Amino acid sequence: MPKSLPNRADVVIIGGGIVGASIAYHLGKIGITNTVLLERKQLTSGTTWHAAGLVGQLRASRNLTELAKYTTGLFEGLEKETGQATGFKQNGSISIALTESRMEELKRGASMAKNFGLAVDVISTGEIKERVPHYNMDGVVGGVFLPKDGQVNPIDVTQALAAGARSLGARIFENTKVTRIIVEKGAAVGVETADGTIMSDKVVIAAGMWSRELGRSIGVNIPLHACEHFYIVSEPMAELPRNMPVVRVPDECTYYKEDAGKLMVGAFEPKAKPWGGGGVDEEHAFVTLPEDMDHFEPILANAINRVPLLETAGIQLFFNGPESFTPDNRYYLGEAPEVKNCYVATGFNSIGIQSSGGAGLVLASWIKNGHPPMDVNAMDIRRIHPFQSVREYARDRVSETLGLLYAMHWPYRQAETARGVRRSAIYQATKDLGAVFGEVNGWERPNWYARDGVKPEYDYDYGRQNWFACADFEAKQLMNNCAFFDQSSFAKYAVEGRDACEVLNRISANNIDVEPGRMVYTQWLNERGGIEADLTVTRLAEDKFMVVTGAVPQTRDMAWLKRHTSGDARCIATDITSGLPMIAVMGPKSRTLLQKLSGADLSNAAFPFATSQEIEIGYARVRAGRITYVGELGWELYIPAEFAAHVFERLCAAGQEFGLTPAGMHTMNNCRMEKAYRHWGHDISDEETPLEAGLGFAVAWGKKGDFIGREALKQQRARNTQPKRLVCLALENNSINAPMIYHEEPIYRDGVIVGSTTSGAWGHRVNLSLGLGYVRTEAGVTKDWIESGKWEVELAWKRHAAKVQLQSFYDPKGERIK
Ligand SMILES: Cc1cc2nc3c(=O)[nH]c(=O)nc-3n(C[C@H](O)[C@H](O)[C@H](O)COP(=O)(O)OP(=O)(O)OC[C@H]3O[C@@H](n4cnc5c(N)ncnc54)[C@H](O)[C@@H]3O)c2cc1C
């Protein structure tokens, strides 16, 4: 029977899995009630129906943990609110370590959980045995218990969310497939179905593993690929306690859940099986895939050893179902950069049930207000690059990402699949020099250079890794002589046209209306004063600028620039990253080296700090910019791609006399930490303002014309001191055994948690274990408050005395640069 679809809705959601239902529910909660949810088949018929239903709370950052906590709270109350059962049980979860390194990882996670306000405990083997007596404790080192973790029935929760959404006004149509998303003038304006067209202000793609193709049909890039995902369910076991916590044994790639007297055993195996490479069948619903005992057998063997009851219980169900995974193992949320008013919530990497509440909450707010309610950059769809949708790339990468859930989360861990995608013009030359590469958005970047017999591959550890001595050498050469960095991966845009200056000056908090040849360090702010981007703008001519930003925000920053360029402005932005490799030459001898090489006058008078000029190197013309991210005198050389190899050869030949050393991204990171140069995505985000981040010096309060975020900043500046402020930390312990700071560790002042670290590294030039982080006090963070406190940082469940200060630990006056 034909349905009577409405002609119009405020929001159309495509997909009736748990995520689509949650978005409809949360839109209703914030007053957007004219919502239509369209489901191709039946609610939950995609991936949701067969999920195991584990609901964990600890995630990799504070905000994501807050969202997971929110989801648990939502599930707890949903039955009462909607009258629909959800199967919610809160028996907690135990993660078990079988190695010392895993135990350190779990303890670091426990410190993070404590920092985020979760109930958590580090427990001994004996305590684990008390909670799960039927488990074999062979090889167990210890564990961590999160009492508020739980489990649900995913089908019931989805029905409850749908019921809640309906009661708030949403209309849900099953057996209604969206055949086309209608796009006009670069914006989504509605959808077509066999039963009619619905025009809408916003369209949301929440179509699970079908999302890639739907996005592709309108030029929206949604890289994901399905993998087969397995679990078994045992016959009933009388011995199984009904209050059994969920148990994870990541070293054996397994999780265990009690389900109506049976034991469910699921797997996150290291090498997964990609599925549906030719596209997912349009008619596919409630699908189960064939069992693959050969693939599951090693997991099952581990499980029988760990829970001997399984040996006799028998397997009632062997389940294999598809779920979508993404190249970086993080899901996608937000407005697509390619099409206005088209929102995305998909690619849930096997945590869609436990993420559904938070994702729905965030996306609903994003739709209503045009921006996310908190920093969710890690999930933002704008992090994606077009090549990541290439089927072969996605397929190869997801075979690795599924297993990452339970793999060791080593610091600096590098992807092992789909490598060698984007290479700089000097890739092979740096490889010949011993470069060991890391990967960022497909770019192969020298992270460190192997020397003195160190094997050119990573040997991971939570302490000092095998490249420590190599990075130490690089940093010392940089400090005493000079070093070069291949920074070709940094994104560059040419911004040109009569109105380019006006457009950029309105977006930038600093003044970019400067003389041609000047470089300006600036942030791009949102209306709330939060930092959307952190970059440099070089004025090349009256109507011509070059913007340089990091490799990660390449898509995002361009999207921000375009969204904030009005349709009638004469201003064109072009991404010129591919054509313009960049080699930075840094260190006290960089001036003499480059002067000799180019014949140019690079003195302070002729080439001051923060200026840019064209110079000649060999047969090439190169744009040199005097700026630094490592805190030394130095120049960034922007070289047209076809000249890069030649310039590099000349540089290396001339550099010998000056001790020019190749240096990697690890050294760059260690050095920027010593200088407390903020890193967007870690130390600064759309949630922090320049005043909180200590970047007030880059705000041009008195410049001509307005800039985005000025009003919010002005209000914040009315307070002399900020309740939240970025600080520099160093552990008192600077011995060879000093532990490393990474991120999200609790910072204590006089025994009370007052903040968290945002990043950490060893400072080779100052010989200290360093961190950056935010601390908070209502009265305002002042020098006195900092100096009068006793400071500690908690690492892996243990507190360490620390020094805290506002200025950097290396060359705080910047004398070496100037
Ligand atoms: C074996 C297994 C175990 C899992 N265990 C857990 C767990 O313990 N905890 C956890 O958090 N997660 C778990 N997951 C992951 C979880 O199931 C998914 O992340 C989640 O269900 C994704 O929900 P979704 O709404 O994004 O996608 P889906 O449930 O796939 O929903 C998308 C919907 O969109 C519809 N659709 C597609 N195209 C169209 C169109 N053109 N028009 C209209 N509708 C369309 C589909 O029919 C589908 O119903 C597990 C997954 C598997 C496979």
Side-chain angles (χ1 to χ4, degrees), residues 14-20 38-55 176-179 206-211 214 227 229-231 255 268 282 284 319-323 345-355:
I14 310 171
I18 194 165
V19 174
L38 302 176
E39 164 53 45
R40 193 181 55 108
K41 300 281 181 187
Q42 281 163 262
L43 293 180
T44 78
S45 64
T47 297
T48 297
W49 70 280
H50 56 226
L54 271 47
V55 187
T176 309
K177 179 174 157 186
V178 170
T179 49
M209 50 194 174
W210 293 268
S211 302
L214 260 177
C227 280
H229 195 25
F230 301 87
Y231 58 71
Y255 63 82
F268 284 99
E282 289 282 312
H284 171 113
F319 188 82
N320 178 10
E323 155 73 334
T346 189
F348 277 88
N349 294 286
S350 217
I351 55 164
I353 307 304
Q354 59 192 17
S355 308

Side-chain angles (χ1 to χ4, degrees), residues 393 397 417-423 427 437-439 442-444:
Y393 169 83
R397 176 53 65 80
T417 52
R419 292 293 302 264
V421 182
R422 298 166 87 187
R423 305 181 204 188
Y427 167 85
F437 296 89
E439 186 253 15
W443 277 104
E444 293 293 335

